[in-house]
Amino acid sequence: MKTLLTLTTRLIAGQKWSFLRGLALSFLVLAMGAALLGLSGWFVTAAAVAGITGLGLDFDFFRPSAGVRGLALGRAVARYGERLLTHDATLRALADLRIALMDGVARRPHEEQARLRGAQALNRLTSDVDALDGLLLRLVLPFLAAGMVQVSALLMLWWLEGLPIGLAVFLIYLVGGGFGLIWVARAARHDARAAETALQNIRRRALETMRARADLAVAGQLEAATAQTLAEVEADALARRNLEALDRRVAAVISLTTALAGAAALAIAGQMAMAGQITPARAAVGLFVALALAESLMLLRRGMAEIGRMQEAGARVLALTDTPERTEPENPRSAPDPTAPLLVARALSFTRPAAARPVFTNLTLELHPGETVFLTGPSGAGKSTALAVLAGLMAPDDGELMLAGQPLAHWPEAKLRSMLTMVPQRSQLIGGTIAENLALALPMGEDLPDAEAWAALRAVALDEVIDARGGLGALLGEGGTGLSGGQSKRLALARAALRKPKILLLDEPTEGLDAETARATLTGLRALLPESAFLVVSHRTPDLALATRSIPLG
């Protein structure tokens, strides 16, 4: 419960007044419902008694009927206001939570961020945030409003009819309703988890099947993959049927609790009426109020059924949002030394957590302005990991790493990225225009001059392709779909070149390109950035002809 309390506090923090107003209206809706049914019961009973005793002409029909109409209209207005306030505040709170979640993910280590880009991890993050929209709307606010209206009903029945009636109704609802809600929270945990797991598997398998449908069809596995997805659909349906059956049983428990509360109120009030302590009309109030209070428990059924799912989702979300801030150097000394090499690595080594042996050891190199240095070695030697370490994305276990004469760890993040840029083997594009993809290289709010954009595209031999597609305003689909693999790679290279870094780290920059285009791309980048130092990882032998020198790894 600590997890849910922490999340509730954070969600409410930025929208506290909206939630407080929504809570007040939620209480008002329940209170008006109880008052409406209690007044109606009193009105009908009192009118009947007046008719039987011959006092009908003297009975005031107008004020009670006006009260009934007023409560009915007021309840409708309060319900509308409560939905408007609480849903709007919840959507705003979830938007803030998503920002905090992405901020926490951005502070995670480089390798973990790469894993979180997978379809399964992204589906999980989306589902976790979606699960938390019910924390406030279906659990916290209904729980608080129900508690407030139950206590209010106890006080009102005590005042109108006496403490025994109010206390009997309150205790029956406390015991019976509490039992039903705790039961559904415990019993639904397994099926709620099964439904969530099945839903995640449906999303993952459907996405994988759609992306790999051509390969699956060629291998004769498309029907088998589809059958696996349908099996997950059946598992999801079974779990949800179990939850629906449990919901019906809990509804029966709440209905029995309501009947017991009503019967107890009627029995005690009947005895008091026979003893002349209250009138018959007033004796009916406790029965109808007891029946109306069932609504406060019914609102909590779904929230209690999902409490296990919320708790697990909340724990995962908090683990990401609570990622510690990246430590900035206490005494940053990031003034470049113009006489020093741009990048110096001496005896660097790196080992992954819990790995038996290091990825690479004894990496030593120097980069100078205008150089094109190739990092070579067999597949699996750790060349891509070495680039990530040199880029400051992962810390080395041992050795010395200097940038422009200062330890790389002493450079603040913003200044480090202005000096050094890396293009990984698999770069990410966004859904949007070509210009928007290129503008990601620039500081926030800075406009991208068309001339610079075309110069970068021309440097990577992509200008004619983009011009044929409609120019810088041409739209790409989600993830940059619409370009071939080689074209996407070159667009990422053009984006990196727009930063005009002193050091450019390139991981397989010519992968998927023919020899002529590969050569044009590397020579174009060198012409665009004549003073920058290039450190390139490539398995293509023709690319080595453009190297100033090469350094073996492994």
Side-chain angles (χ1 to χ4, degrees):
M1 292 302 294
K2 182 180 178 181
T3 297
L4 296 184
L5 289 175
T6 301
L7 274 170
T8 300
T9 303
R10 293 187 184 182
L11 289 172
I12 290 177
Q15 307 290 331
K16 63 178 71 175
W17 294 115
S18 293
F19 280 118
L20 285 175
R21 291 194 294 267
L23 175 60
L25 289 175
S26 298
F27 164 71
L28 199 58
V29 168
L30 294 176
M32 283 184 167
L36 176 61
L37 203 55
L39 178 59
S40 300
W42 175 87
F43 185 26
V44 171
T45 306
V49 171
I52 293 172
T53 57
L55 299 176
L57 294 176
D58 297 325
F59 184 73
D60 184 0
F61 290 91
F62 298 104
R63 281 184 293 181
S65 62
V68 169
R69 287 193 295 270
L71 287 171
L73 291 173
R75 176 178 162 84
V77 172
R79 174 70 75 188
Y80 176 78
E82 176 263 330
R83 293 293 174 86
L84 189 66
L85 284 173
T86 56
H87 283 70
D88 179 69
T90 298
L91 291 175
R92 292 177 184 275
L94 289 177
D96 293 339
L97 180 63
R98 288 187 177 95
I99 293 173
L101 184 61
M102 291 301 102
D103 189 46
V105 169
R107 296 193 299 271
R108 288 274 163 166
H110 168 70
E111 288 185 294
E112 188 172 344
Q113 288 188 43
R115 289 195 298 271
L116 288 172
R117 287 174 57 184
Q120 187 172 2
L122 291 176
N123 279 334
R124 170 60 67 188
L125 288 177
T126 302
S127 179
D128 285 346
V129 175
D130 289 343
L132 295 177
D133 71 350
L135 175 61
L136 296 174
L137 293 177
R138 294 192 290 272
L139 189 62
V140 175
L141 289 176
F143 179 80
L144 293 176
M148 291 165 61
V149 81
Q150 289 285 348
V151 173
S152 298
L154 167 62
L155 297 176
M156 288 301 296
L157 290 176
W158 185 359
W159 176 56
L160 288 172
E161 297 190 322
L163 180 60
I165 296 176
L167 199 58
V169 171
F170 180 80
L171 290 177
I172 290 173
Y173 268 108
L174 181 64
V175 175
F179 167 76
L181 295 176
I182 293 173
W183 176 38
V184 70
R186 290 180 177 274
R189 188 179 294 271
H190 172 74
D191 287 314
R193 186 183 294 114
E196 179 65 19
T197 301
L199 180 60
Q200 293 298 318
N201 290 336
I202 291 169
R203 291 174 175 174
R204 177 177 57 83
R205 291 188 182 278
L207 186 60
E208 290 174 349
T209 301
M210 287 187 290
R211 285 180 172 175
R213 60 188 180 277
D215 295 333
L216 291 170
V218 171
Q221 296 297 318
L222 185 57
E223 290 187 3
T226 303
Q228 288 178 335
T229 304
L230 292 176
E232 296 295 345
V233 173
E234 287 296 327
D236 178 66
L238 176 61
R240 295 190 185 279
R241 285 196 297 270
N242 291 339
L243 288 173
E244 289 173 2
L246 176 63
D247 185 68
R248 290 192 294 271
R249 291 194 292 271
V250 174
V253 172
I254 294 176
S255 297
L256 178 60
T257 301
T258 303
L260 289 175
L266 186 60
I268 297 172
Q271 293 294 325
M272 295 176 68
M274 290 176 62
Q277 296 175 322
I278 56 175
T279 63
R282 184 170 289 188
V285 173
L287 168 64
F288 287 98
V289 169
L291 298 178
L293 290 176
E295 183 184 10
S296 64
L297 297 185
M298 291 295 185
L299 292 175
L300 274 169
R301 280 188 304 166
R302 184 177 175 188
M304 293 300 290
E306 295 181 357
I307 193 170
R309 178 190 175 208
M310 294 178 193
Q311 194 158 4
E312 293 180 0
R316 288 189 291 266
V317 168
L318 283 180
L320 290 174
T321 57
D322 290 345
T323 302
E325 293 284 346
R326 288 182 177 174
T327 57
E328 290 287 345
E330 294 182 3
N331 299 303
R333 302 187 303 274
S334 55
D337 181 356
T339 65
L342 286 176
L343 188 67
V344 175
R346 294 190 182 94
L348 289 186
S349 65
F350 177 80
T351 306
R352 299 185 191 281
R357 61 179 185 176
V359 179
F360 64 84
T361 59
N362 199 32
L363 173 59
T364 299
L365 61 83
E366 285 190 6
L367 281 180
H368 297 271
E371 281 192 311
T372 301
V373 178
F374 271 57
L375 189 62
T376 62
S379 295
K383 298 184 295 298
S384 297
T385 304
L387 285 188
V389 171
L390 294 172
L393 298 175
M394 297 185 292
D397 301 324
D398 198 10
E400 185 180 34
L401 185 55
M402 307 287 288
L403 176 64
Q406 302 293 341
L408 188 139
H410 288 178
W411 284 74
E413 184 72 14
K415 290 186 178 181
L416 172 62
R417 298 306 158 201
S418 67
M419 283 282 293
L420 183 152
T421 294
M422 177 180 171
V423 181
Q425 192 169 353
R426 293 177 180 83
S427 298
Q428 187 67 33
L429 302 178
I430 62 171
T433 65
I434 298 293
E436 288 171 338
N437 273 277
L438 292 173
L440 292 176
L442 305 180
M444 184 70 69
E446 186 174 320
D447 293 330
L448 173 64
D450 287 356
E452 291 187 19
W454 283 111
L457 293 172
R458 194 159 41 249
V460 296
L462 199 60
D463 53 327
E464 293 182 2
V465 174
I466 299 303
D467 187 49
R469 290 182 61 90
L472 297 176
L475 283 170
L476 300 180
E478 182 182 357
T481 55
L483 296 177
S484 69
Q487 290 168 350
S488 298
K489 170 69 78 172
R490 283 182 284 162
L491 184 59
L493 291 170
R495 181 171 63 193
L498 285 170
R499 294 183 64 84
K500 300 176 183 178
K502 298 294 184 182
I503 303 170
L504 188 58
L505 308 179
L506 304 175
D507 192 358
E508 300 289 356
T510 60
E511 184 181 18
L513 305 181
D514 60 81
E516 182 180 350
T517 305
R519 184 176 182 85
T521 298
L522 290 179
T523 56
L525 283 173
R526 171 49 69 203
L528 185 66
L529 303 171
E531 297 300 320
S532 298
F534 292 2
L535 181 61
V536 184
V537 167
S538 177
H539 288 96
R540 295 169 57 98
T541 303
D543 294 347
L544 288 172
L546 303 175
T548 306
R549 54 193 170 90
S550 62
I551 299 173
L553 181 67

